Amino acid sequence: MKSFVTVCCLSFLLGLVAVVESDEDYTEDEEMILSLILQDDTQPEAESRPSAQFYRCTKDAWRMPGQYIVVMRNGTHVNQVERTARRLRAKAAKRNVCSAVKLPHVEYIEEDSSIFAQSIPWNLQRILQNKHETGKYSPPNDGAKVGVYLLDTSVQVTHREIEDRVMVTDFNSVPEEDGVRVHRQASQCDSHGTHIAGVVSGRDSGVARGASVNSVRVLNCQGKGTVSGALAGLEYIQSSLMSQAIRPVILLLPFVGGFSRTLNAACRKMVESGAVLVAAAGNYNDDACLYSPASEPEVITVGAVNFADQPLSTGTTGTNAGRCVDVFAPGDDIISASSDCSTCFTTKSGTSQAAAHVAGIAAVLLNLNPNSSSAELLQQLLHHSVKQTINPESLPLNHRLSTPNMVVALPDPTSTLTGEDLLCRSVWSERSAAKGLATATARCRHGEEMLSCSSFSQNGARAGERVEERDGQKECVAVNGNGGQGVFAVARCCTGHKAQCQMLESPQRGADAECPPDHQLTGCSSSSSSGDASDSERPLHGIRRACPAKRDVTSYASCCHTSSLECRLKEHDSMGLSEQVEVSCEDSWTLTGCQGLSHGSVVRGAFALGNTCVVHTSGGDIGAAAIATCCRHRLSHKPSDH
């Protein structure tokens, strides 16, 4: 067996193996090392004997320049090897590592390099749909067509994970660090931004490894910024996009502040201009609606989960939750680039890391469908997400129903989803006041169509819901009933409907709200002006498509016109003493409307959960029925359960 000795002149983390011919161009350090190692007073002159081969890794990023393995020829005595090793260690201890080293019988020299365990980090494994390919991270694409603007701390662009992938812009708007003795080490100033950039597009730790990242510094070395600085950063990006358009483009906002109307408005303006904004929900174990930009409806707000798909919780802190969160993503012990050195890695946790995952997946989706709007992209994210994996009891009680139970995942390799598929999601309002006839309002995003409106009350005292229009946008308005404890409005918001839709009100109380003959009925609502309970009637889906109403109740019908749309009802009655009854649309159909039909028990409300219509009742032998309105495009019969 051949003997070998390790020669260390420098230490650098990198790695694999390949042959490099001995006449290759070497660095100055390599020339010195080779000339010294190959000195041999006991052998003929160098030109009269064969040159030793020099090997190094084909993966430049894995190389360890300055650290070498010297392999001795067969027959070299063990005492010679040990003596040589002692001499090398003595030279290294004096930092005179390679001077005057004479090694006879050298067979070849190999530059050291890194090796890696062949399993991928849990977070990347988690977002894959093709679980059978264990040990390999293989997204549908690398997001190379997408540009990402990262509003964060500065970034260590020389880190091997993100080198040549991140461009540092000339923007810098940060406050002074707190305290008079702040030591501004580069590793501290770059810590958060480097880690986040690595999660987005790092060579080994990134989600979308082809996406380009533009660093816009709005946080100082302590990770602190100002609303005014963030606003200036958004203005800078807007100007940059006007002068040199990048499409599609994602803005990643891995920070939160207190609720700011101004910051939310600026984010909304960016979305209206065509950008996709992804923001952290916040790490305060609180309602995300109390923070900005997380509370802005046009922003995709991301909460964090751990490896078990449960809400991230660390001591007294944890992920924010509630109706302002759109989706969850891995955010616990996430491995990515460390700014401590250009090859260092570290783990960090939080909703910033979760938001970076969503930005990466969004880049993959936009690479597939570059013309998708922000609203369409969100629907695609939800469509591909893993549903009902979070334990509801791990969520705050007052946010349990309104928090989406979805964890992001990359598209399945067989998915053929496009921006034209009918996709829907539920949008909850905040709870209304407890006084009679108090209202709560839910709205869809820009680019979504409201196809139905329902309501929910914990004690069942609700006066139904109605649909209004304000500034050209439909609103789902829920009405609290007499003796109610507050009511929620739940809007069913959809993209890809390819239809002209309108909400029609019954001509008078107790009369039907009827769709025109060439329209499909996508959902029904009803409200009582007296504050008494407003129970639904079964929709009509025959030749007449209408929403009937009981006496003194106004009904509302959502009616959509397109030649390719078809809708039908699906109904399920509760059995026994169940307080919840459900009915789901089949895989090729999308749930657009959800109603509860009382058989005598109190219906607390109805809402869509994924592709399932859920009705809560007071229980009892009489029970209730859940009625789902399921729609699809005739030429697009693909799974739409999300």
Side-chain angles (χ1 to χ4, degrees), residues 250-487:
I250 298 169
L251 273 61
L252 176 54
L253 314 173
F255 58 82
V256 297
F259 181 85
S260 168
R261 186 180 302 273
T262 308
L263 181 55
N264 283 8
C267 291
R268 185 163 59 250
K269 181 179 178 182
M270 290 297 300
V271 174
E272 291 171 354
S273 70
V276 172
L277 271 65
V278 179
N283 304 329
Y284 300 100
N285 199 25
D286 201 357
D287 183 356
C289 294
L290 301 177
Y291 301 86
S292 287
S295 56
E296 170 51 43
E298 297 295 332
V299 168
I300 299 174
T301 300
V302 187
V305 292
N306 61 21
F307 69 96
D309 283 347
Q310 301 310 309
L312 177 63
S313 179
T314 307
T316 58
T317 65
T319 181
N320 287 350
R323 65 186 181 88
C324 287
V325 174
D326 293 300
V327 73
F328 287 86
D332 189 23
D333 286 338
I334 305 302
I335 299 174
S336 185
S338 167
S339 57
D340 289 339
C341 75
S342 60
T343 57
C344 295
F345 286 80
T346 189
T347 61
K348 291 180 181 290
S349 303
T351 55
S352 292
Q353 281 67 33
H357 281 80
V358 171
I361 295 176
V364 171
L365 291 172
L366 286 173
N367 210 76
L368 292 170
N369 301 299
N371 295 323
S372 295
S373 67
S374 180
E376 290 169 337
L377 178 67
L378 173 58
Q379 295 279 9
Q380 293 167 30
L381 282 167
L382 299 181
H383 174 83
H384 295 298
S385 293
V386 180
K387 285 81 175 174
Q388 306 306 312
T389 186
I390 299 173
N391 179 4
E393 294 184 1
S394 64
L395 296 168
L397 180 60
N398 55 334
H399 298 304
R400 198 162 288 174
L401 289 175
S402 60
T403 301
N405 197 324
M406 300 185 183
V407 178
V408 291
L410 286 160
D412 185 281
T414 62
S415 173
T416 57
L417 188 70
T418 70
E420 297 182 350
D421 292 81
L422 178 61
L423 302 175
C424 299
R425 68 187 184 99
S426 294
V427 177
W428 287 66
S429 71
E430 61 182 341
R431 187 169 62 179
S432 75
K435 63 182 180 180
L437 300 182
T439 61
T441 302
R443 304 174 185 84
C444 297
R445 289 176 185 244
H446 177 74
E448 292 178 324
E449 181 74 43
M450 186 186 299
L451 294 189
S452 68
C453 168
S454 61
S455 60
F456 177 80
S457 170
Q458 289 288 357
N459 71 345
R462 58 188 183 89
E465 62 283 330
R466 62 177 182 266
V467 179
E468 299 178 349
E469 188 167 318
R470 180 177 299 178
D471 300 327
Q473 184 180 19
K474 295 185 181 73
E475 297 182 338
C476 174
V477 181
V479 184
N480 190 47
N482 296 325
Q485 301 172 350
V487 68

Side-chain angles (χ1 to χ4, degrees), residues 94 157 447:
K94 296 178 181 178
V157 294

Side-chain angles (χ1 to χ4, degrees), residues 13-68:
L13 176 64
L14 295 159
L16 276 181
V17 180
V19 176
V20 178
E21 295 299 330
S22 58
D23 59 351
E24 182 174 341
D25 291 335
Y26 299 123
T27 66
E28 185 176 339
D29 282 345
E30 289 168 346
E31 290 280 6
M32 178 186 71
I33 292 163
L34 291 172
S35 64
L36 292 172
I37 290 176
L38 295 176
Q39 289 180 20
D40 188 348
D41 292 343
T42 68
Q43 299 293 324
E45 293 301 315
E47 55 268 25
S48 66
R49 57 184 166 83
S51 298
Q53 292 288 326
F54 179 62
Y55 299 83
R56 66 183 173 196
C57 180
T58 56
K59 299 286 189 181
D60 288 343
W62 297 352
R63 292 178 52 207
M64 300 178 72
Q67 184 163 310
Y68 302 87

Side-chain angles (χ1 to χ4, degrees), residues 424-593:
C424 299
R425 68 187 184 99
S426 294
V427 177
W428 287 66
S429 71
E430 61 182 341
R431 187 169 62 179
S432 75
K435 63 182 180 180
L437 300 182
T439 61
T441 302
R443 304 174 185 84
C444 297
R445 289 176 185 244
H446 177 74
E448 292 178 324
E449 181 74 43
M450 186 186 299
L451 294 189
S452 68
C453 168
S454 61
S455 60
F456 177 80
S457 170
Q458 289 288 357
N459 71 345
R462 58 188 183 89
E465 62 283 330
R466 62 177 182 266
V467 179
E468 299 178 349
E469 188 167 318
R470 180 177 299 178
D471 300 327
Q473 184 180 19
K474 295 185 181 73
E475 297 182 338
C476 174
V477 181
V479 184
N480 190 47
N482 296 325
Q485 301 172 350
V487 68
F488 296 90
V490 188
R492 192 64 171 164
C493 303
C494 307
T495 59
H497 48 84
K498 296 188 276 189
Q500 297 294 324
C501 300
Q502 56 184 317
M503 197 68 67
L504 300 178
E505 181 178 341
S506 59
Q508 59 189 33
R509 293 176 189 170
D512 296 350
E514 186 170 353
C515 291
D518 55 351
H519 284 58
Q520 293 288 336
L521 177 64
T522 62
C524 292
S525 305
S526 62
S527 66
S528 167
S529 59
S530 65
D532 296 330
S534 173
D535 291 330
S536 301
E537 291 284 282
R538 182 179 283 101
L540 302 177
H541 258 265
I543 298 176
R544 290 181 63 235
R545 299 182 179 96
C547 300
K550 293 184 177 181
R551 183 179 179 183
D552 295 329
V553 171
T554 302
S555 62
Y556 303 84
S558 176
C559 307
C560 296
H561 171 63
T562 180
S563 58
S564 65
L565 189 68
E566 59 180 339
C567 299
R568 68 182 186 187
L569 295 183
K570 192 172 181 183
E571 183 174 339
H572 180 67
D573 288 326
S574 61
M575 301 295 290
L577 302 176
S578 174
E579 293 186 357
Q580 181 170 310
V581 56
E582 302 178 356
V583 61
S584 299
C585 294
E586 297 171 352
D587 286 346
S588 62
W589 298 77
T590 299
L591 179 68
T592 62

